[in-house]
Amino acid sequence: MAKNKHKSAEDYLKEESGEFRELKKFEKILINVVALAWTIFQLLLPSFLMINSTWVRCIHLAFALTLAYLMLPMFKYPKNKFTKFLSPLNKIGYLDYVFAIIAPVVATYLIWEWQDLLFRAGLPNLQDVIFGLALVILLLEATRRSIGTPLSVIALLFSLYGFFAESMPGVFAFKNVTIEKYVSQISLSTEGILGIPIGVSATIVFLFVLMGAMLDRAGAGQYFIDLAVSLLGRFRGGPAKASVVASGLSGMVSGSSIANVVTTGTFTIPLMKKVGYLPRKAAAVEVAASTNGQLMPPIMGAAAFIIAEYCNVSYIEVIKAAAVPAFASYAALFYITHLEACKLGIRGMTKEELPEFKKTFLSGLHYLIPIIWLIYELVVIRHSPQLAAYNTVLLLIVIIFYQEIKKAFTEKTGFVNGIKNSIYLVGSGFITGAKNMVGVALATASAGIVVGIVSLGLGGMITQIVDVLAQGNIYLLLLITAVASLLLGMGLPTTANYIVMASLTAPIIVQVGADYGFVVPLLAAHLFVFFFGILADDTPPVGLAAYAASAIADSPPISTGVQGFLYDIRTAIIPFMFIFNHDLILDGINTWTFGLFIFAMTLMASLIFSSAVQGWFLTKNKLFELPILLASSLLFYRPGIVTDIFNLNDDWKYYFYGLAFAILLIVVATQKFRISRGAPT
């Protein structure tokens, strides 16, 4: 871990993007051409190309593998002559060229052997086995280079488990998987590598990542930061509040907490330190805000679309279910920054230090148009996510041309120059979007190996084991799932963590709950896993988002991660609550008024819980006020707990929101009294 401490924020972003090599001009052009070709292929799918969905997945994976081997060295920090030969950082290695040629061939094997494979489905010949295993090996190596060792090791261990399952003791044993069965399932069908996750990556996620890349290239990221600072900077703890809002806006179109930390944190963390936040607290606010950015509808990283596929519901249903927990959690983080400012006596920025709000707002108003249009297409017109993202990308292209041509006239650099800049920005956005997709595509493909092994028989065995461990206790089962998601998420990107845990534990939560007479909606179980996968990004000792933020703030990474996790505790509580109170995911709630009422109650619960954890409400909390605040928060989160205890009709639960308010008033009264006696506010 000591080594990480000396990395800069740019190093973490470099590791995230894979831009390690200082390449020659020809090599850069080669990579850019492949990336551009990938983006053009993806843009043709919703508009002109009509291709078998399995072929789309094959081609999508082929592009990702090719780019991975051209962009990413075998070793990030080669230490001796042999590793430097295998992994040169000043050029693309000979071995990488070989892999970059072979990988797309094995990835598209299903396409050029399509007819023959249909006739021998389930009975692969020697050629099928060779190509199938080659795909697995090349995929795992590309995944290791792109997103680190853990996912490749997990996929490999699951594979080995399948081969030696009969040798395992007792309940851990099941029928061995033969090499032919393994290849048929994992490489030559849509139950493994080419399964649902990479299908969603190929049809939907790419376009959303492309949209985010183009917004960033156009300058929207900096605009969001400036807008948040100009709006909120003057308030108490203003830079921290601006950090939360800016990270939330960036998080809507970004699937990476590390990229979010580096882009927004580079600006907001120094501002927070300047007004009086301790370095670790400034970094922790950015970490919590950036990781929670993946909770924010309408995009939620890449997982929202995969959740919709796994749960067989519309994308809008996922957004509806995630809306109340996500916005309540973010509002609570905003409130936490205010509490910290109160505790530390921090004021806002001076008027002279702030950009003018009206001028800032109008300067980038066009950046809000594609986001509003995307929400309009998804929510009002109810277009598919793929079509909505495609139309938004087209709109973004028009906006970029408008922006650059207008700038050219304003700066009197000429119309032709404006066109050139527009083409450059669009092209670089296309290339950046494709490069950003490499890790996502490889993560979904590698996670597909785990999903494939689970469906071969491991899933039933895991259900039995978890059921035995939980002893039929739904609370213990949820705790086991939460801890497992946090542990896995320390080494896996959020999307891969979600896919692995959703295939292993989400169905078990539903099944075990049903076995003991407790109904858990499938969507609630999947969101539970997703929330804890996100929290892993700032969980010590590995949380990379915390390391990136600490590099900017010059703070200890472990204590930064711990502080960030403390800020995020309310996000860890909410999933437990919506498992038991389905109103929080708007299950069965179809009116705006009732939905807003549930949001208001959930927001109250989150704010009160944050006050309890932070030790500050209207003033510093006394010890006796802690259980009172927690009791009030619990009732706001889950008023039905009273009806459960006293075996009352479920309709009575809404009356107990009044009890929650009454309990809260006790703390309001005691703290108001102390404030009147001179306590700080």
Side-chain angles (χ1 to χ4, degrees), residues 515-530:
D515 289 345
Y516 291 88
F518 185 83
V519 178
V520 179
L522 183 61
L523 193 51
H526 279 262
L527 284 173
F528 182 91
V529 171
F530 174 60

Side-chain angles (χ1 to χ4, degrees), residues 370-445:
I371 296 175
I372 294 170
W373 179 256
L374 174 67
I375 295 171
Y376 173 74
E377 288 226 9
L378 289 171
V379 178
V380 180
I381 304 179
R382 294 294 182 98
H383 278 164
S384 69
Q386 184 181 20
L387 182 58
Y390 172 74
N391 289 337
T392 305
V393 168
L394 296 184
L395 177 61
L396 256 173
I397 294 172
V398 173
I399 288 172
I400 288 173
F401 270 84
Y402 161 79
Q403 170 185 278
E404 294 307 307
I405 291 172
K406 180 184 176 184
K407 187 187 294 183
F409 277 110
T410 303
E411 297 175 358
K412 298 180 180 179
T413 56
F415 177 77
V416 174
N417 194 53
I419 294 293
K420 286 180 179 178
N421 288 340
S422 301
I423 294 172
Y424 171 76
L425 281 179
V426 171
S428 62
F430 281 9
I431 291 167
T432 302
K435 289 180 178 179
N436 290 347
M437 266 304 297
V438 171
V440 178
L442 296 179
T444 54

Side-chain angles (χ1 to χ4, degrees), residues 314 316-317 320-321 324 382 582-598 654:
S314 70
I316 296 300
E317 285 300 309
K320 175 185 171 185
V324 168
R382 294 294 182 98
H582 306 156
D583 287 350
L584 269 64
I585 59 170
L586 302 181
D587 185 43
I589 295 176
N590 298 309
T591 64
W592 278 98
T593 51
F594 198 12
L596 289 172
F597 171 74
I598 294 299
Y654 298 109

Side-chain angles (χ1 to χ4, degrees), residues 284-285 287-288 291 336 482 486 490 532 534-540 546 558-572 609 613-614:
V285 167
V287 169
T291 52
I336 285 171
L486 288 174
M490 289 182 190
F532 279 98
I534 286 174
L535 282 171
D537 272 356
D538 63 4
T539 304
I558 297 297
S559 62
T560 297
V562 170
Q563 186 68 60
F565 190 76
L566 289 174
Y567 288 157
D568 265 343
I569 283 182
R570 88 262 172 240
T571 308
F609 182 81
V613 173
Q614 295 301 313

Side-chain angles (χ1 to χ4, degrees), residues 213-229:
M214 291 182 67
L215 271 171
D216 186 60
R217 294 297 298 170
Q222 188 60 48
Y223 170 70
F224 290 151
I225 295 170
D226 293 342
L227 183 65
V229 172

Side-chain angles (χ1 to χ4, degrees), residues 2-44:
K3 179 181 167 184
N4 286 337
K5 189 176 180 181
H6 301 294
K7 292 180 185 175
S8 66
E10 289 72 21
D11 290 332
Y12 286 100
L13 192 59
K14 190 184 291 185
E15 290 189 7
E16 181 82 353
S17 65
E19 301 286 350
F20 276 93
R21 288 170 161 160
E22 297 294 331
L23 300 177
K24 299 172 184 175
K25 186 176 181 180
F26 163 75
E27 293 169 329
K28 289 180 180 178
I29 292 173
L30 174 63
I31 290 172
N32 288 344
V33 167
V34 174
L36 196 59
W38 190 9
T39 298
I40 292 171
F41 166 73
Q42 296 287 164
L43 286 173
L44 290 174

Side-chain angles (χ1 to χ4, degrees), residues 148 191 227 234 245 290 335 355 396 528 557 618 634 665:
E191 300 297 322
L227 183 65
R234 68 182 183 275
V245 172
S290 294
Y335 177 61
L396 256 173
F528 182 91
L618 302 178
L634 177 61
L665 287 176

